[in-house]
Amino acid sequence: TFGVSALILPKLSNVATALWEARSAFGSHGAITAFATLAAMAMALVMALIVTPLAATFKLADAAMTPIIVSGQALPKVVLIPLLFLIVDSVVLPGIIVGALIAFFPVYISLRYSIDTIPRGLLHLAKVWGYSRKRTVISIGLPYAVPIAIGTLRLAWIYAMIGVISAELLHPVKGLGFLMDQAYNRLDGASFYAAVLVCLVLAVGGWSIAAAIDRWTRISWRVSLPVETWSNRSRSAWGS
């Protein structure tokens, strides 16, 4: 193709043939990668929902955790992955952990920004009602930030998938990274790009599902957001 070796740039027909002939392997290993990515994304979201309120509520916790979070994100994951495989007696779990660590950062930043930018009117209302900083974060900050967190699922899916496939490539046993490694070692360019194509389909599919969840959440949350109900009730009490 264009005078380039088939190993570097195989024909699309050869890629399609390789994909069809090994469809069972691509399906089973793709399911493993999808499961690990979903687990990593869920883990990142749970960690962000735990860490963010702590950092937003307690200044000491914020000062202690911020350097750890930033340095953990900057740490090259290729250094961490081999250590995880030595420590954790699992084929899939290290990839889930790495994916969660990579996906955690954008979710945390989005949550923290949304809490730090709560409208002053709501904060003033919480102060009038005698809410402590902790209760303000839990009762107002988190409900206000949850739609933002759901919105970051699209980014979290992509980042988590990067971590999972990186782990599969460095320790090729299962998953799409394993199929890429096997094809590369066999000098089979068609099978390699077929695995890449499955990765792209998985990425776009996960992004689309997360976007649909985001749209549904924003509509339903706008109706049932506790902050809005509480604010309306408060305005009624003040006679406005």
Side-chain angles (χ1 to χ4, degrees):
T1 307
F2 302 109
V4 181
S5 170
L7 175 63
I8 304 300
L9 188 63
K11 294 181 179 180
L12 289 178
S13 58
N14 293 340
V15 175
T17 300
L19 181 60
W20 175 255
E21 291 178 348
R23 59 189 180 278
S24 178
F26 284 117
S28 59
H29 286 279
I32 293 172
T33 299
F35 167 78
T37 303
L38 184 62
M41 184 180 68
M43 185 183 296
L45 184 60
V46 170
M47 288 192 303
L49 288 174
I50 293 174
V51 172
T52 307
L54 291 175
T57 304
F58 304 105
K59 293 183 178 180
L60 182 61
D62 186 24
M65 288 189 294
T66 297
I68 297 175
I69 293 172
V70 173
S71 59
Q73 181 68 16
L75 177 69
K77 301 307 181 288
V78 292
V79 176
L80 184 61
I81 292 172
L83 295 176
L84 286 174
F85 276 107
L86 290 174
I87 297 172
V88 181
D89 187 18
S90 172
V91 174
V92 180
L93 186 56
I96 294 176
I97 294 174
V98 172
L101 290 176
I102 296 176
F104 165 78
F105 191 72
V107 178
Y108 168 78
I109 292 298
S110 299
L111 277 175
R112 184 61 192 274
Y113 177 79
S114 62
I115 290 178
D116 290 343
T117 56
I118 295 174
R120 291 187 177 182
L122 291 177
L123 297 177
H124 178 71
L125 191 59
K127 187 176 181 180
V128 170
W129 281 70
Y131 274 27
S132 64
R133 181 177 175 85
K134 178 181 178 181
R135 189 175 180 184
T136 300
V137 170
I138 294 175
S139 300
I140 299 180
L142 282 182
Y144 191 80
V146 163
I148 307 298
I150 299 299
T152 59
L153 288 181
R154 287 172 287 183
L155 282 177
W157 174 264
I158 300 300
Y159 281 111
M161 192 172 176
I162 292 172
V164 169
I165 294 180
S166 297
E168 292 173 351
L169 284 169
L170 287 177
H171 189 72
V173 177
K174 293 181 179 180
L176 294 174
F178 164 75
L179 294 182
M180 290 182 198
D181 181 77
Q182 291 294 303
Y184 180 82
N185 291 333
R186 297 195 311 267
L187 302 180
D188 185 355
S191 295
F192 180 87
Y193 281 101
V196 172
L197 180 61
V198 175
C199 287
L200 296 179
V201 171
L202 193 60
V204 174
W207 176 282
S208 301
I209 293 173
I213 294 174
D214 179 30
R215 288 192 297 269
W216 176 82
T217 303
R218 287 179 183 274
I219 294 173
S220 60
W221 201 265
R222 192 174 299 136
V223 175
S224 60
L225 184 60
V227 174
E228 293 181 356
T229 303
W230 179 52
S231 180
N232 292 334
R233 187 173 63 247
S234 300
R235 284 197 295 269
S236 298
W238 283 96
S240 57

